[in-house]
Each structure stands twice: as structure tokens, then as C-alpha cells.
Amino acid sequence: MGFSAEDHGLMARAVSLTARGRETATPNPSVGCVIARSGRILGEGWHEKAGEAHAEARALARCAGEASGATVYLTLEPCAHQGRTGPCVDALIAARVGRVVAALEDPNPLVSGKGFARLRDAGITVDVGLMAAEATQAHRGFLARMRRGRPWLRIKAAASLDGRTALGDGRSRWITGPDARRDVHALRARSCAMVTGIGTVLADDPQLTVRDVPCRRQPRRAVIDSRLETPPEAQILAGGGTILFAANEVPDRQRALEAKGAEIVQVPGPGGKTDLAEVARHLGSLGFNEVTVESGAKLHASLIQAGVVDELVLYVSPKLLGNTAAGLFALPGLASLGDALQPRIIDVRQVGSDLRITAYLER
């Protein structure tokens, strides 16, 4: 069917609500819901935290019993199974809503079409597909994990105008300005986990925490560390819970790191290296929807070659660092330009004195 301008406006509101639970809803999707009659919003809600009320229940609670015959706008199909909360379809049916407009079907096999079927069986009109592209963006991490078993993984990097990330001696603070650095912390805040490599840990001793913007939960931290070379005093271990992905068993080092609260996960790959595809699958098994990598050129390239990178977020500073400075991606040389990877640029904007370029790697 065709959707009205009113439908579009109310679904746009539902999509905007997804941002409110984005940091805390994991592993669930941060669904947005609006309930309206004749263009007047009766109630709205979003999923705040796993185990707590879903968006539909929160929106219904705000309707004060006026939901009968109303239209419900949802960014994702309502659940039809019993989890830590009851099925949302039961609540919608009990409220006697007249119509449900959903952007997307939920790929979760526990839901996938079952919610829509239950609603239709109850005589409720169901229309699907309104603003599907926008909802896909909002839920891209959850959708990636459900469909592929691994998170939506982005590489974030800062570089000069000539594509350099650090001086020849390794110094990189600061290539970009304070506005860009604050923007990076907002990117961290929406991430379920932050990943780096052992080279970055040894060279920069990063914290990989959210500090410059409000954040209701810190992302989990992980290090790709094949030989368990992370120093026990490294800042990234502070507070415990850091995951170290290793390829080799080094019992003495493992005991010292575990004493600091680190979790060691063995994922051996060819040549004594860590299996990065298995790392991505493990991160998915932990319920992480979005993961951000901040590391160096070698790990960036290895992740791209492993086929697990979905997005590049590059902050470009109006500086020129010269030929001896470090590059962005240590990818192998090409035989022809036709062999080049061609990420699709989806957004370019100015952040302070720097540019932020966002691109998707599509295969």
C-alpha cells in the first residue's frame, strides 16, 4: 500500500527515538515506537535496557488507555516470544490497536514474521516497509549480528590530508582538533566494544574509554594480542573485563594478565596470528551489536582483508606530514587500479577544523 505524509512523519519520529536507547539496549535493538490517532501522538517509547520494558510497552503505558483503534509506528517487528519480558504482540492485541506500521521485519529467528502473523490473525492491519532504509541504519548493528553472527564493525582513524596517521617516530597527538576528538568519543559511546592491537597498546598505552561526552555505560575493551604481550600495567586493563584475543598460549603471561582482570580468548590462526574472523564471531556471541576499532595500519589492513569491516570513519586534518610518516592501511600493492577496494562514501562533513568521512565497505 502507499504510505501517507502523516505516516512518514510519525515513522520519522519513531526512528529518531531509537537514538535514546542506542547506548544501553544491547544486545537488543533500540526500537522506537509511536502510537497516534488522526496525527495526534498518544504515546511514544523506546527500548532502554535489556530486561526492561520494550518500546511498545513504554508507548502503551503513556497512552492512558486511549490506544484502541490507534496506529502504532515501529522501527522493527514486535516480538512474539517470551523473553525477559512478555511478547509485545500480546500487549498490542490486548490494547486493541487498529493498525501497525513497521519499517522492518526482525531477522531474529525467534521473531522473523511471527509477530506480524499474530497481529494479522487478531484482525490488526499490518503494513511493512515504511522508511526501511532509515530503520536499517538505526539498527544496523543488531541486524548485522542476527544475519551474519558478527557485529557491525567500523574502523575509526585520524589522518593528515596526505593520509598519514603519525610522524615517523610514532608521535600522533594530536593530528585532529578538539571537536573531532570529542566526536570520536561520541562514536565510542555508541559502541558495544572498542578494539585495538598490541602495537597500539605498546606504542600509545590507550585507555579506549568514553570521557569527553556523557555515556551511561562504558564499552567493553579488547586487544588483538597474539603472543600476550600486553603489559599488566597497561591502561587498557584498568577496571578489569578487557578481552585479550591470543593465538599462542603463554601461561606465565596469561596468569599475570588474568590477575589484572583480563579475559583471555584463544583464537589461533595461520602463521601464529590471531584468527580475525573468529574474533568477529566471538564478539557477536557476546551480544555486541556495534564494535569500533582504533588501531594501526597493520591491524586495519588485516581486518579489511579478513572481510569483517563494514564501515570506515576517517577524520582528516588539514595538515601535511610527509613521506616518512605512517600510513592509514598497510594493504598489499595492486597489479591494477581495477583491483582497488572502493568503499562507498555515504557522508562527508566538517567537524571543527577537520573533515569526517564515513564510507561503507560492501562486498
Side-chain angles (χ1 to χ4, degrees):
M1 65 158 289
F3 294 103
S4 68
E6 182 180 292
D7 289 335
H8 279 84
L10 291 165
M11 182 61 82
R13 175 61 182 170
V15 171
S16 73
L17 292 173
T18 64
R20 302 196 183 185
R22 188 168 54 202
E23 294 176 13
T24 54
T26 299
N28 295 340
S30 56
V31 174
C33 176
V34 172
I35 301 176
R37 181 186 292 109
S38 301
R40 181 173 71 90
I41 294 177
L42 305 174
E44 60 184 28
W46 58 93
H47 186 40
E48 185 81 22
K49 189 176 181 181
E52 297 182 0
H54 287 192
E56 299 92 325
R58 290 167 66 102
L60 286 168
R62 290 175 169 85
C63 284
E66 296 183 48
S68 179
T71 298
V72 181
Y73 296 87
L74 281 166
T75 57
L76 196 65
E77 178 181 6
C79 62
H81 65 290
Q82 178 68 47
R84 284 187 275 182
T85 61
C88 292
V89 290
D90 289 353
L92 294 171
I93 292 168
R96 302 178 65 184
V97 303
R99 178 185 177 219
V100 171
V101 180
L104 299 168
E105 181 177 307
D106 189 338
N108 184 342
L110 294 173
V111 183
S112 194
K114 299 180 182 69
F116 294 148
R118 289 271 303 280
L119 293 170
R120 290 184 175 115
D121 288 346
I124 297 170
T125 300
V126 176
D127 298 311
V128 184
L130 176 60
M131 296 185 67
E134 291 83 352
T136 296
Q137 277 278 15
H139 297 311
R140 60 188 181 271
F142 174 78
L143 297 174
R145 187 169 63 83
M146 285 294 111
R147 291 168 177 165
R148 306 176 317 200
R150 61 178 176 84
W152 179 270
L153 190 147
R154 70 173 62 84
I155 287 174
K156 167 266 159 185
S160 61
L161 202 58
D162 53 348
R164 304 295 175 167
T165 62
L167 297 177
D169 61 8
R171 284 180 294 163
S172 61
R173 295 182 180 178
W174 296 101
I175 288 178
T176 54
D179 293 322
R181 297 199 295 275
R182 191 175 304 110
D183 198 62
V184 168
H185 280 259
L187 196 64
R188 290 180 182 180
R190 70 172 292 160
S191 305
C192 305
M194 295 295 304
V195 176
T196 192
I198 183 59
T200 299
V201 170
L202 296 176
D204 297 337
D205 193 22
Q207 298 179 62
L208 284 193
T209 54
V210 181
R211 301 182 299 279
D212 290 352
V213 299
C215 182
R216 289 175 289 172
R217 66 95 179 89
Q218 287 289 339
R220 200 78 185 268
R221 293 169 295 173
V223 182
I224 310 299
D225 184 4
S226 296
R227 295 185 292 274
L228 290 180
E229 296 174 293
T230 299
E233 65 276 10
Q235 291 192 97
I236 202 164
L237 300 179
T242 301
I243 305 168
L244 301 181
F245 289 103
N248 304 277
E249 293 188 10
V250 189
D252 290 345
R253 293 179 188 172
Q254 181 164 332
R255 284 192 291 271
L257 292 165
E258 288 175 337
K260 291 292 187 177
E263 175 187 348
I264 313 299
V265 178
Q266 294 288 339
V267 280
K273 299 291 186 181
T274 305
D275 186 331
L276 296 177
E278 187 56 37
V279 167
R281 285 189 287 270
H282 186 83
L283 293 170
S285 75
L286 295 176
F288 297 156
N289 291 331
E290 293 189 24
V291 170
T292 299
V293 177
E294 294 186 24
S295 192
K298 290 182 180 179
L299 181 57
H300 290 167
S302 295
L303 288 164
I304 290 171
Q305 290 175 297
V308 298
V309 178
D310 300 294
E311 180 181 8
L312 304 176
V313 180
L314 306 180
Y315 294 85
V316 180
S317 170
K319 296 180 175 74
L320 299 173
L321 300 188
N323 285 339
T324 62
L328 271 170
F329 306 104
L331 290 164
L334 302 176
S336 70
L337 285 175
D339 296 330
L341 288 172
Q342 299 185 55
R344 178 169 62 90
I345 295 175
I346 64 160
D347 184 70
V348 179
R349 65 184 62 195
Q350 189 156 355
V351 181
S353 60
D354 307 302
L355 288 181
R356 186 185 72 198
I357 301 172
T358 304
Y360 286 172
L361 278 168
E362 299 166 332
R363 292 172 174 82

